[in-house]
Amino acid sequence: MTQDRVIRVLVADDQALLRGSFRILVDTAPDLVAVGEAGTGIEAVDLARRESPDVVLMDVRMPEMDGIEATRRICGPAGTAGVRVLMLTTFDLDEYVYAALRAGASGFLLKDTPPGELLTAIRVVASGEALLAPTVTRRLIAEFARHPEPARPLARELGGVTGRERDVLTLIARGLSNTEIAGHLSLSLATVKTHVGHLLGKLAARDRAQLVIVAYETGLVSAAPRPPR
């Protein structure tokens, strides 16, 4: 994402006042522009397909179709290529975190997040990164521990992944940043970014959030891990 590109944002929330507030906030940033508002999940899907925004600010709980299903339709194989979803929730311990990330969301944010942080989060997601804070990563891991999915064969899912890429994927699943991964593996930051790019391509993952899910579902890592020393 270059500095001269305007990031197009769709706001989806069933509360008109809050939806309007988010839109006004987005439009105050010189590098962001709101391209539409949706009050239901169905409207969000329709507008995402029509406008192809860079980022959708998606409320979890909406009428007609909730934000999880709307995200699944936007991010699915038949969805809108390149559109990323940033989920908005009222509660930090929202039970929908796990489902939202599995549906294809690139991140999770509280609705009471300071305005500046919200704008930064939109930029982060638009750039192709996942907004996966350590607290969210831990919650995701906890969900895998409580409701583990059957592990898929490593040979099928990770057959084309090199040993070093598996090391990087393991640390991504532990919630480490690229900088932290570089330190743990004694690699340059550029090399780590290259490995992450290869993983995204080989595993057909949209972003780091999807890589975390793949790492756990394939059995490469198990629940409640500790970062290596």
Side-chain angles (χ1 to χ4, degrees):
M1 183 69 61
T2 58
Q3 291 295 318
D4 58 351
R5 178 180 172 184
V6 175
I7 300 170
R8 306 173 73 251
V9 181
L10 170 63
V11 180
D13 196 293
D14 64 337
Q15 299 181 45
L17 182 59
L18 190 57
R19 190 169 67 239
S21 298
F22 282 137
R23 177 165 193 159
I24 291 172
L25 175 63
V26 167
D27 283 335
T28 62
D31 59 333
L32 307 178
V33 61
V35 296
E37 297 179 24
T40 70
I42 292 176
E43 289 179 1
V45 174
D46 290 342
L47 279 172
R49 290 173 175 168
R50 187 187 317 156
E51 299 292 339
S52 293
D54 297 298
V55 177
V56 179
L57 286 180
M58 182 78 76
D59 187 19
V60 172
R61 300 179 178 90
M62 288 188 292
E64 296 183 23
M65 178 190 295
D66 66 25
I68 306 298
E69 180 59 28
T71 297
R72 186 174 293 111
R73 296 193 185 190
I74 292 171
C75 299
T80 306
V83 178
R84 300 183 183 277
V85 176
L86 179 58
M87 302 296 300
L88 298 172
T89 181
T90 304
F91 305 104
D92 187 42
L93 296 177
D94 198 300
E95 67 271 23
Y96 295 110
V97 170
Y98 175 73
L101 294 175
R102 285 184 56 81
S106 294
F108 235 82
L109 207 62
L110 294 177
K111 287 186 178 181
D112 62 357
T113 296
E117 291 183 18
L118 173 60
L119 297 178
T120 297
I122 292 172
R123 297 182 184 106
V124 168
V125 170
S127 72
E129 294 291 327
L131 193 73
L132 207 57
T135 54
V136 175
T137 302
R138 288 195 296 270
R139 218 173 307 146
L140 181 61
I141 292 168
E143 285 296 329
F144 272 106
R146 284 194 292 269
H147 309 291
E149 295 284 330
R152 291 177 288 182
L154 284 175
R156 185 182 69 186
E157 292 293 337
L158 303 178
V161 176
T162 67
R164 180 55 84 188
E165 288 167 353
R166 290 189 184 210
D167 293 339
V168 172
L169 180 57
T170 298
L171 295 180
I172 288 173
R174 305 282 203 249
L176 274 65
S177 68
N178 283 353
T179 300
E180 291 169 330
I181 292 172
H184 277 291
L185 298 180
S186 299
L187 299 173
S188 70
L189 184 58
T191 299
V192 172
K193 289 181 178 179
T194 297
H195 285 315
V196 173
H198 289 165
L199 286 166
L200 291 170
K202 291 179 179 181
L203 300 175
R206 294 172 65 92
D207 51 39
R208 294 173 82 93
Q210 297 283 291
L211 290 179
V212 171
I213 290 172
V214 170
Y216 283 97
E217 289 194 338
T218 57
L220 178 64
V221 293
S222 57
R226 290 183 180 179
R229 294 184 181 277

mmCIF file of all heavy atoms in Angstrom, residues 148-190:
data_model
loop_
_atom_site.group_PDB
_atom_site.id
_atom_site.type_symbol
_atom_site.label_atom_id
_atom_site.label_comp_id
_atom_site.label_asym_id
_atom_site.label_seq_id
_atom_site.Cartn_x
_atom_site.Cartn_y
_atom_site.Cartn_z
ATOM 1 N N PRO A 148 -11.324 -28.313 19.253
ATOM 2 C CA PRO A 148 -10.323 -28.628 18.228
ATOM 3 C C PRO A 148 -10.960 -29.188 16.964
ATOM 4 O O PRO A 148 -11.866 -30.010 17.025
ATOM 5 C CB PRO A 148 -9.436 -29.672 18.916
ATOM 6 C CG PRO A 148 -10.340 -30.307 19.924
ATOM 7 C CD PRO A 148 -11.232 -29.202 20.421
ATOM 8 N N GLU A 149 -10.466 -28.713 15.832
ATOM 9 C CA GLU A 149 -10.885 -29.269 14.553
ATOM 10 C C GLU A 149 -10.024 -30.508 14.277
ATOM 11 O O GLU A 149 -8.874 -30.573 14.694
ATOM 12 C CB GLU A 149 -10.660 -28.236 13.427
ATOM 13 C CG GLU A 149 -11.531 -27.001 13.564
ATOM 14 C CD GLU A 149 -12.965 -27.267 13.161
ATOM 15 O OE1 GLU A 149 -13.190 -28.134 12.300
ATOM 16 O OE2 GLU A 149 -13.856 -26.612 13.715
ATOM 17 N N PRO A 150 -10.557 -31.490 13.567
ATOM 18 C CA PRO A 150 -9.728 -32.652 13.210
ATOM 19 C C PRO A 150 -8.504 -32.181 12.430
ATOM 20 O O PRO A 150 -8.627 -31.411 11.484
ATOM 21 C CB PRO A 150 -10.668 -33.491 12.330
ATOM 22 C CG PRO A 150 -12.041 -33.046 12.702
ATOM 23 C CD PRO A 150 -11.923 -31.587 13.048
ATOM 24 N N ALA A 151 -7.338 -32.617 12.849
ATOM 25 C CA ALA A 151 -6.114 -32.216 12.170
ATOM 26 C C ALA A 151 -6.088 -32.799 10.766
ATOM 27 O O ALA A 151 -6.317 -33.986 10.567
ATOM 28 C CB ALA A 151 -4.899 -32.682 12.958
ATOM 29 N N ARG A 152 -5.788 -31.932 9.790
ATOM 30 C CA ARG A 152 -5.671 -32.402 8.421
ATOM 31 C C ARG A 152 -4.256 -32.910 8.189
ATOM 32 O O ARG A 152 -3.325 -32.463 8.844
ATOM 33 C CB ARG A 152 -6.003 -31.259 7.457
ATOM 34 C CG ARG A 152 -7.475 -30.873 7.506
ATOM 35 C CD ARG A 152 -7.765 -29.700 6.618
ATOM 36 N NE ARG A 152 -7.222 -28.478 7.185
ATOM 37 C CZ ARG A 152 -7.368 -27.289 6.609
ATOM 38 N NH1 ARG A 152 -7.974 -27.187 5.467
ATOM 39 N NH2 ARG A 152 -6.863 -26.212 7.187
ATOM 40 N N PRO A 153 -4.068 -33.840 7.245
ATOM 41 C CA PRO A 153 -2.737 -34.405 7.031
ATOM 42 C C PRO A 153 -1.717 -33.326 6.682
ATOM 43 O O PRO A 153 -1.941 -32.517 5.795
ATOM 44 C CB PRO A 153 -2.961 -35.355 5.845
ATOM 45 C CG PRO A 153 -4.420 -35.672 5.873
ATOM 46 C CD PRO A 153 -5.090 -34.419 6.378
ATOM 47 N N LEU A 154 -0.600 -33.343 7.391
ATOM 48 C CA LEU A 154 0.449 -32.364 7.119
ATOM 49 C C LEU A 154 0.981 -32.498 5.705
ATOM 50 O O LEU A 154 1.294 -31.501 5.060
ATOM 51 C CB LEU A 154 1.596 -32.540 8.122
ATOM 52 C CG LEU A 154 1.359 -32.023 9.535
ATOM 53 C CD1 LEU A 154 2.536 -32.389 10.414
ATOM 54 C CD2 LEU A 154 1.176 -30.523 9.530
ATOM 55 N N ALA A 155 1.090 -33.720 5.229
ATOM 56 C CA ALA A 155 1.657 -33.930 3.901
ATOM 57 C C ALA A 155 0.818 -33.235 2.837
ATOM 58 O O ALA A 155 1.349 -32.681 1.876
ATOM 59 C CB ALA A 155 1.747 -35.426 3.607
ATOM 60 N N ARG A 156 -0.513 -33.262 3.024
ATOM 61 C CA ARG A 156 -1.376 -32.650 2.030
ATOM 62 C C ARG A 156 -1.352 -31.133 2.129
ATOM 63 O O ARG A 156 -1.273 -30.439 1.119
ATOM 64 C CB ARG A 156 -2.813 -33.154 2.222
ATOM 65 C CG ARG A 156 -3.766 -32.649 1.134
ATOM 66 C CD ARG A 156 -5.181 -33.134 1.381
ATOM 67 N NE ARG A 156 -5.759 -32.501 2.565
ATOM 68 C CZ ARG A 156 -6.943 -32.837 3.057
ATOM 69 N NH1 ARG A 156 -7.640 -33.826 2.523
ATOM 70 N NH2 ARG A 156 -7.428 -32.226 4.114
ATOM 71 N N GLU A 157 -1.383 -30.612 3.340
ATOM 72 C CA GLU A 157 -1.483 -29.176 3.522
ATOM 73 C C GLU A 157 -0.138 -28.464 3.462
ATOM 74 O O GLU A 157 -0.053 -27.346 3.021
ATOM 75 C CB GLU A 157 -2.154 -28.875 4.866
ATOM 76 C CG GLU A 157 -3.614 -29.277 4.934
ATOM 77 C CD GLU A 157 -4.490 -28.448 4.014
ATOM 78 O OE1 GLU A 157 -4.102 -27.329 3.660
ATOM 79 O OE2 GLU A 157 -5.568 -28.940 3.641
ATOM 80 N N LEU A 158 0.903 -29.107 3.971
ATOM 81 C CA LEU A 158 2.194 -28.438 4.099
ATOM 82 C C LEU A 158 3.294 -29.100 3.278
ATOM 83 O O LEU A 158 4.471 -28.836 3.488
ATOM 84 C CB LEU A 158 2.616 -28.402 5.584
ATOM 85 C CG LEU A 158 1.640 -27.725 6.548
ATOM 86 C CD1 LEU A 158 2.164 -27.815 7.975
ATOM 87 C CD2 LEU A 158 1.402 -26.277 6.160
ATOM 88 N N GLY A 159 2.901 -29.942 2.333
ATOM 89 C CA GLY A 159 3.875 -30.677 1.553
ATOM 90 C C GLY A 159 4.859 -29.793 0.800
ATOM 91 O O GLY A 159 6.023 -30.149 0.640
ATOM 92 N N GLY A 160 4.408 -28.646 0.329
ATOM 93 C CA GLY A 160 5.287 -27.763 -0.430
ATOM 94 C C GLY A 160 5.987 -26.723 0.415
ATOM 95 O O GLY A 160 6.701 -25.855 -0.106
ATOM 96 N N VAL A 161 5.797 -26.785 1.731
ATOM 97 C CA VAL A 161 6.375 -25.793 2.644
ATOM 98 C C VAL A 161 7.741 -26.284 3.124
ATOM 99 O O VAL A 161 7.880 -27.414 3.592
ATOM 100 C CB VAL A 161 5.444 -25.555 3.851
ATOM 101 C CG1 VAL A 161 6.079 -24.609 4.853
ATOM 102 C CG2 VAL A 161 4.101 -25.014 3.370
ATOM 103 N N THR A 162 8.751 -25.447 3.007
ATOM 104 C CA THR A 162 10.101 -25.832 3.419
ATOM 105 C C THR A 162 10.226 -25.869 4.941
ATOM 106 O O THR A 162 9.358 -25.359 5.664
ATOM 107 C CB THR A 162 11.141 -24.848 2.871
ATOM 108 O OG1 THR A 162 10.953 -23.573 3.513
ATOM 109 C CG2 THR A 162 11.008 -24.682 1.370
ATOM 110 N N GLY A 163 11.313 -26.449 5.418
ATOM 111 C CA GLY A 163 11.547 -26.515 6.851
ATOM 112 C C GLY A 163 11.624 -25.152 7.487
ATOM 113 O O GLY A 163 11.057 -24.914 8.566
ATOM 114 N N ARG A 164 12.313 -24.223 6.854
ATOM 115 C CA ARG A 164 12.421 -22.873 7.415
ATOM 116 C C ARG A 164 11.069 -22.173 7.401
ATOM 117 O O ARG A 164 10.723 -21.447 8.345
ATOM 118 C CB ARG A 164 13.444 -22.059 6.620
ATOM 119 C CG ARG A 164 13.622 -20.639 7.136
ATOM 120 C CD ARG A 164 13.969 -20.640 8.615
ATOM 121 N NE ARG A 164 15.389 -20.829 8.849
ATOM 122 C CZ ARG A 164 15.916 -21.028 10.042
ATOM 123 N NH1 ARG A 164 15.127 -21.106 11.120
ATOM 124 N NH2 ARG A 164 17.211 -21.177 10.195
ATOM 125 N N GLU A 165 10.282 -22.396 6.354
ATOM 126 C CA GLU A 165 8.953 -21.798 6.298
ATOM 127 C C GLU A 165 8.059 -22.367 7.402
ATOM 128 O O GLU A 165 7.230 -21.650 7.967
ATOM 129 C CB GLU A 165 8.329 -22.037 4.921
ATOM 130 C CG GLU A 165 8.975 -21.191 3.824
ATOM 131 C CD GLU A 165 8.591 -21.636 2.425
ATOM 132 O OE1 GLU A 165 7.919 -22.688 2.286
ATOM 133 O OE2 GLU A 165 8.963 -20.944 1.469
ATOM 134 N N ARG A 166 8.256 -23.635 7.738
ATOM 135 C CA ARG A 166 7.493 -24.219 8.846
ATOM 136 C C ARG A 166 7.895 -23.560 10.169
ATOM 137 O O ARG A 166 7.047 -23.333 11.027
ATOM 138 C CB ARG A 166 7.724 -25.727 8.926
ATOM 139 C CG ARG A 166 7.093 -26.505 7.786
ATOM 140 C CD ARG A 166 7.155 -27.997 8.031
ATOM 141 N NE ARG A 166 6.640 -28.733 6.885
ATOM 142 C CZ ARG A 166 6.040 -29.910 6.956
ATOM 143 N NH1 ARG A 166 5.870 -30.474 8.137
ATOM 144 N NH2 ARG A 166 5.609 -30.514 5.879
ATOM 145 N N ASP A 167 9.186 -23.270 10.310
ATOM 146 C CA ASP A 167 9.639 -22.567 11.512
ATOM 147 C C ASP A 167 8.944 -21.221 11.633
ATOM 148 O O ASP A 167 8.470 -20.826 12.710
ATOM 149 C CB ASP A 167 11.158 -22.348 11.464
ATOM 150 C CG ASP A 167 11.938 -23.656 11.549
ATOM 151 O OD1 ASP A 167 11.368 -24.651 12.029
ATOM 152 O OD2 ASP A 167 13.115 -23.653 11.129
ATOM 153 N N VAL A 168 8.886 -20.506 10.513
ATOM 154 C CA VAL A 168 8.245 -19.184 10.500
ATOM 155 C C VAL A 168 6.755 -19.316 10.786
ATOM 156 O O VAL A 168 6.188 -18.551 11.582
ATOM 157 C CB VAL A 168 8.481 -18.485 9.142
ATOM 158 C CG1 VAL A 168 7.648 -17.198 9.040
ATOM 159 C CG2 VAL A 168 9.962 -18.168 8.946
ATOM 160 N N LEU A 169 6.112 -20.291 10.169
ATOM 161 C CA LEU A 169 4.680 -20.498 10.378
ATOM 162 C C LEU A 169 4.384 -20.822 11.837
ATOM 163 O O LEU A 169 3.405 -20.338 12.412
ATOM 164 C CB LEU A 169 4.180 -21.632 9.479
ATOM 165 C CG LEU A 169 2.691 -21.982 9.577
ATOM 166 C CD1 LEU A 169 1.818 -20.776 9.277
ATOM 167 C CD2 LEU A 169 2.365 -23.127 8.610
ATOM 168 N N THR A 170 5.226 -21.619 12.452
ATOM 169 C CA THR A 170 5.056 -21.963 13.865
ATOM 170 C C THR A 170 5.091 -20.717 14.734
ATOM 171 O O THR A 170 4.264 -20.541 15.647
ATOM 172 C CB THR A 170 6.159 -22.938 14.320
ATOM 173 O OG1 THR A 170 6.052 -24.144 13.573
ATOM 174 C CG2 THR A 170 6.030 -23.252 15.807
ATOM 175 N N LEU A 171 6.026 -19.818 14.454
ATOM 176 C CA LEU A 171 6.150 -18.600 15.259
ATOM 177 C C LEU A 171 5.015 -17.622 14.983
ATOM 178 O O LEU A 171 4.581 -16.892 15.878
ATOM 179 C CB LEU A 171 7.513 -17.953 15.007
ATOM 180 C CG LEU A 171 8.716 -18.790 15.467
ATOM 181 C CD1 LEU A 171 10.017 -18.070 15.164
ATOM 182 C CD2 LEU A 171 8.622 -19.104 16.953
ATOM 183 N N ILE A 172 4.526 -17.602 13.749
ATOM 184 C CA ILE A 172 3.351 -16.782 13.446
ATOM 185 C C ILE A 172 2.174 -17.253 14.298
ATOM 186 O O ILE A 172 1.427 -16.459 14.864
ATOM 187 C CB ILE A 172 2.988 -16.871 11.946
ATOM 188 C CG1 ILE A 172 4.021 -16.116 11.102
ATOM 189 C CG2 ILE A 172 1.587 -16.293 11.688
ATOM 190 C CD1 ILE A 172 3.822 -16.291 9.605
ATOM 191 N N ALA A 173 2.026 -18.577 14.396
ATOM 192 C CA ALA A 173 0.929 -19.144 15.189
ATOM 193 C C ALA A 173 1.103 -18.883 16.678
ATOM 194 O O ALA A 173 0.136 -18.938 17.439
ATOM 195 C CB ALA A 173 0.829 -20.646 14.931
ATOM 196 N N ARG A 174 2.337 -18.610 17.110
ATOM 197 C CA ARG A 174 2.586 -18.266 18.507
ATOM 198 C C ARG A 174 2.251 -16.795 18.771
ATOM 199 O O ARG A 174 2.298 -16.334 19.893
ATOM 200 C CB ARG A 174 4.056 -18.472 18.857
ATOM 201 C CG ARG A 174 4.602 -19.868 18.570
ATOM 202 C CD ARG A 174 4.189 -20.873 19.629
ATOM 203 N NE ARG A 174 5.067 -22.016 19.697
ATOM 204 C CZ ARG A 174 4.729 -23.257 19.341
ATOM 205 N NH1 ARG A 174 3.530 -23.491 18.865
ATOM 206 N NH2 ARG A 174 5.577 -24.250 19.470
ATOM 207 N N GLY A 175 1.944 -16.034 17.710
ATOM 208 C CA GLY A 175 1.592 -14.633 17.875
ATOM 209 C C GLY A 175 2.756 -13.675 17.754
ATOM 210 O O GLY A 175 2.637 -12.500 18.106
ATOM 211 N N LEU A 176 3.913 -14.143 17.241
ATOM 212 C CA LEU A 176 5.080 -13.279 17.123
ATOM 213 C C LEU A 176 5.004 -12.406 15.872
ATOM 214 O O LEU A 176 4.452 -12.808 14.845
ATOM 215 C CB LEU A 176 6.369 -14.113 17.078
ATOM 216 C CG LEU A 176 6.981 -14.505 18.434
ATOM 217 C CD1 LEU A 176 6.046 -15.443 19.188
ATOM 218 C CD2 LEU A 176 8.342 -15.171 18.237
ATOM 219 N N SER A 177 5.558 -11.215 15.968
ATOM 220 C CA SER A 177 5.630 -10.301 14.835
ATOM 221 C C SER A 177 6.793 -10.698 13.935
ATOM 222 O O SER A 177 7.645 -11.521 14.311
ATOM 223 C CB SER A 177 5.827 -8.870 15.319
ATOM 224 O OG SER A 177 7.109 -8.728 15.910
ATOM 225 N N ASN A 178 6.876 -10.092 12.756
ATOM 226 C CA ASN A 178 7.993 -10.377 11.852
ATOM 227 C C ASN A 178 9.329 -10.040 12.504
ATOM 228 O O ASN A 178 10.308 -10.767 12.356
ATOM 229 C CB ASN A 178 7.838 -9.592 10.552
ATOM 230 C CG ASN A 178 6.800 -10.203 9.630
ATOM 231 O OD1 ASN A 178 6.283 -11.285 9.892
ATOM 232 N ND2 ASN A 178 6.491 -9.511 8.555
ATOM 233 N N THR A 179 9.367 -8.932 13.219
ATOM 234 C CA THR A 179 10.606 -8.528 13.885
ATOM 235 C C THR A 179 11.022 -9.543 14.937
ATOM 236 O O THR A 179 12.206 -9.907 15.052
ATOM 237 C CB THR A 179 10.438 -7.137 14.528
ATOM 238 O OG1 THR A 179 10.119 -6.184 13.523
ATOM 239 C CG2 THR A 179 11.720 -6.710 15.231
ATOM 240 N N GLU A 180 10.049 -10.023 15.712
ATOM 241 C CA GLU A 180 10.346 -11.023 16.734
ATOM 242 C C GLU A 180 10.788 -12.346 16.112
ATOM 243 O O GLU A 180 11.693 -13.020 16.617
ATOM 244 C CB GLU A 180 9.114 -11.226 17.628
ATOM 245 C CG GLU A 180 8.797 -10.026 18.505
ATOM 246 C CD GLU A 180 7.437 -10.145 19.166
ATOM 247 O OE1 GLU A 180 6.532 -10.782 18.587
ATOM 248 O OE2 GLU A 180 7.277 -9.589 20.275
ATOM 249 N N ILE A 181 10.146 -12.710 15.008
ATOM 250 C CA ILE A 181 10.529 -13.940 14.309
ATOM 251 C C ILE A 181 11.962 -13.839 13.808
ATOM 252 O O ILE A 181 12.751 -14.788 13.923
ATOM 253 C CB ILE A 181 9.561 -14.219 13.137
ATOM 254 C CG1 ILE A 181 8.170 -14.568 13.674
ATOM 255 C CG2 ILE A 181 10.082 -15.363 12.264
ATOM 256 C CD1 ILE A 181 7.105 -14.673 12.599
ATOM 257 N N ALA A 182 12.309 -12.690 13.258
ATOM 258 C CA ALA A 182 13.672 -12.479 12.761
ATOM 259 C C ALA A 182 14.686 -12.672 13.881
ATOM 260 O O ALA A 182 15.737 -13.300 13.698
ATOM 261 C CB ALA A 182 13.795 -11.081 12.155
ATOM 262 N N GLY A 183 14.362 -12.159 15.077
ATOM 263 C CA GLY A 183 15.261 -12.311 16.209
ATOM 264 C C GLY A 183 15.399 -13.746 16.663
ATOM 265 O O GLY A 183 16.502 -14.226 16.930
ATOM 266 N N HIS A 184 14.275 -14.475 16.719
ATOM 267 C CA HIS A 184 14.299 -15.864 17.177
ATOM 268 C C HIS A 184 15.054 -16.776 16.215
ATOM 269 O O HIS A 184 15.736 -17.714 16.635
ATOM 270 C CB HIS A 184 12.872 -16.387 17.351
ATOM 271 C CG HIS A 184 12.248 -16.009 18.661
ATOM 272 N ND1 HIS A 184 12.668 -16.515 19.864
ATOM 273 C CD2 HIS A 184 11.225 -15.176 18.950
ATOM 274 C CE1 HIS A 184 11.932 -15.995 20.845
ATOM 275 N NE2 HIS A 184 11.056 -15.180 20.306
ATOM 276 N N LEU A 185 14.932 -16.497 14.918
ATOM 277 C CA LEU A 185 15.530 -17.385 13.923
ATOM 278 C C LEU A 185 16.842 -16.837 13.358
ATOM 279 O O LEU A 185 17.415 -17.445 12.448
ATOM 280 C CB LEU A 185 14.531 -17.623 12.774
ATOM 281 C CG LEU A 185 13.214 -18.298 13.161
ATOM 282 C CD1 LEU A 185 12.323 -18.464 11.937
ATOM 283 C CD2 LEU A 185 13.466 -19.650 13.827
ATOM 284 N N SER A 186 17.284 -15.696 13.879
ATOM 285 C CA SER A 186 18.527 -15.063 13.406
ATOM 286 C C SER A 186 18.478 -14.826 11.897
ATOM 287 O O SER A 186 19.413 -15.141 11.155
ATOM 288 C CB SER A 186 19.744 -15.932 13.764
ATOM 289 O OG SER A 186 19.853 -16.076 15.170
ATOM 290 N N LEU A 187 17.374 -14.272 11.448
ATOM 291 C CA LEU A 187 17.187 -13.936 10.039
ATOM 292 C C LEU A 187 17.003 -12.442 9.892
ATOM 293 O O LEU A 187 16.658 -11.746 10.856
ATOM 294 C CB LEU A 187 15.944 -14.648 9.484
ATOM 295 C CG LEU A 187 15.934 -16.177 9.508
ATOM 296 C CD1 LEU A 187 14.561 -16.688 9.073
ATOM 297 C CD2 LEU A 187 17.013 -16.737 8.599
ATOM 298 N N SER A 188 17.198 -11.930 8.700
ATOM 299 C CA SER A 188 16.911 -10.520 8.459
ATOM 300 C C SER A 188 15.404 -10.347 8.349
ATOM 301 O O SER A 188 14.669 -11.294 8.032
ATOM 302 C CB SER A 188 17.574 -10.050 7.163
ATOM 303 O OG SER A 188 16.936 -10.637 6.039
ATOM 304 N N LEU A 189 14.936 -9.132 8.600
ATOM 305 C CA LEU A 189 13.503 -8.856 8.508
ATOM 306 C C LEU A 189 13.010 -9.087 7.086
ATOM 307 O O LEU A 189 11.913 -9.619 6.870
ATOM 308 C CB LEU A 189 13.231 -7.412 8.939
ATOM 309 C CG LEU A 189 11.764 -6.974 8.991
ATOM 310 C CD1 LEU A 189 10.963 -7.867 9.932
ATOM 311 C CD2 LEU A 189 11.664 -5.513 9.440
ATOM 312 N N ALA A 190 13.826 -8.726 6.113
ATOM 313 C CA ALA A 190 13.440 -8.923 4.709
ATOM 314 C C ALA A 190 13.252 -10.399 4.392
ATOM 315 O O ALA A 190 12.315 -10.783 3.667
ATOM 316 C CB ALA A 190 14.487 -8.316 3.782
#
